[in-house]
Amino acid sequence: MTKGINGWTFPAGTSWAEAARQARSAGFEVLEPILAADGELSPGTDEAACRAVGDQIRRAGVAVGALVPAFYWQVPLTSPDPQIRGQSFELTLAALDRANWLGAPVLLIVPGVVGRWNAKTPAARYEEALFHAYEALRRLAFEGERRNVTLAVENVWNRFLLSPVEMRDFIDRVGSPWVRVYFDVGNVLAFGYPQDWIDALGPRIVRVHARDYRLEGGTPQGFCLPGDGDVDWPEVFAALARSGYDGPITFEGRGDLAEISSRLDRLLGRA
């Protein structure tokens, strides 16, 4: 397995070339750039600029592990409004193009939003969200294949796809090798057990976010560095071994790069 860092860790305004240099200096092998609303990488960034960013990252000695869009919470694929769903679909096509130009083999997908963690009313009815998410991913699978980019559905705090069995069945129903799972270890701990999810999802997992979570928190403030929370990391890595996963283990969140790198080294048995 390789050691990765997500782009949210870097201060706003850091160029991706500089982020890659800092990541490599701290011992990371993989970087996940963010596709933001504007700036160096956005849905409007042209092909030449995207290819230049990918080349700069690789010249720093770091692989591009995935591209992470920042727009799904604002324009979800499962919105009750068909215009918003259409906008989300078009933005996903733009993200697939930029992932291809960047050289990112994976595009992270938030499949839909039934509600945020603290929302008192739903943003969409669950059954309708499931239908719209399936329809979107079924169509997007062909678009991912055309661009040689895998769409990886992440488990997030969206009150949607709340069990490993439901996630597994959703992926299997889409029925494409171009639609798989981006498994976030810390995200699942508030309502499940990561090792159980990994065993259920098995080879469907194409990427892993490794962050920890303190169960007594109950809010996003509970997320923390690996080893500071309640994740049973030996069980998680045993489950990953059973699944055959051998891809990047990527930290997502804030923190000191050297400290994050050291924590991941311990998890990976390198320390």
Side-chain angles (χ1 to χ4, degrees), residues 150-192:
T150 298
L151 298 112
V153 175
E154 189 183 26
N155 55 294
V156 297
W157 283 21
N158 54 356
R159 302 195 182 196
F160 186 51
L161 300 178
L162 292 172
S163 85
V165 174
E166 187 180 20
M167 176 73 87
R168 181 189 66 200
D169 291 351
F170 177 81
I171 297 297
D172 288 353
R173 186 183 174 208
V174 173
S176 169
W178 296 94
V179 177
R180 298 175 72 186
V181 175
Y182 201 130
F183 183 67
D184 189 302
V185 174
N187 271 349
V188 84
L189 197 62
F191 52 88

